[in-house]
Amino acid sequence: MPLSFRIVALALPLAAGLLSGCTLISRTMSEGITSVITPYKVEVVQGNVVTKEMLAQVHTGSTRNDVRDALGSPLLADPFHAERWDYVFTIKRQGTEPQKRSVVIWFDGDTVKSIDAPELPTEEEFVASITRQRSQPLPERKLTLSDEERAALPVPKAPAPTDTAPLGANRSYPPLENP
């Protein structure tokens, strides 16, 4: 193979790569590096989700066990401040707005004295707030066939009968019990 042919064979892919890189570089320069590379962001969910329905089960006079049954274990239960339970929730998820909520339950002995809570979402509102929006809706899927479509399907062939005996050892064993 002549030397000039080898040089051309190596130069063409190199030139094509460099030219395609030029468009990438010009796009990067005009729109920024994040237009080309989107880094992965870890979804961070911490704490207890407390919804309006859950908090409705807790009221003044409820016991600590009632609160734990309704809201779960508190994220913060300080032994030096035993009269206070903190339910903190944070979520950072790509494609949704970050959220942070804090519910504080104050106790007098073993019963609830007061509740400090912001306006909490309902369960449906919370699920909607953490659901990513799809860029394109899913196509509607048809799960049943009409009678005409079912009649147009080919009839499956019956399996051919086999007259052969099963393969394997044919052994005779003694009875398990003596007669």
Side-chain angles (χ1 to χ4, degrees), residues 7 16 31 42 51-53 56 67 71 88 90 98 103 108 115 119-120 127 138 145 149 152-153 166 170:
I7 292 173
E31 298 175 10
V42 178
T51 62
K52 197 177 281 189
E53 294 88 351
V67 174
L71 305 180
V88 181
T90 60
V103 175
D108 184 18
I115 301 169
E119 183 65 29
L120 297 172
V127 170
L138 291 175
L145 295 176
E149 292 170 327
L153 292 174
N170 187 6

Side-chain angles (χ1 to χ4, degrees), residues 8 19-20 29 35 38-39 53 77 80 90 101 135 137 141 165 167:
V8 171
L19 288 176
S20 67
M29 296 294 238
S35 66
T38 55
E53 294 88 351
F80 298 107
T90 60
R101 282 186 224 76
S135 58
R141 296 182 181 164
L167 300 175

Side-chain angles (χ1 to χ4, degrees), residues 49 51-53 120-131:
V49 175
T51 62
K52 197 177 281 189
E53 294 88 351
L120 297 172
T122 63
E123 289 180 14
E124 287 181 4
E125 292 169 344
F126 174 72
V127 170
S129 72
I130 63 170
T131 304

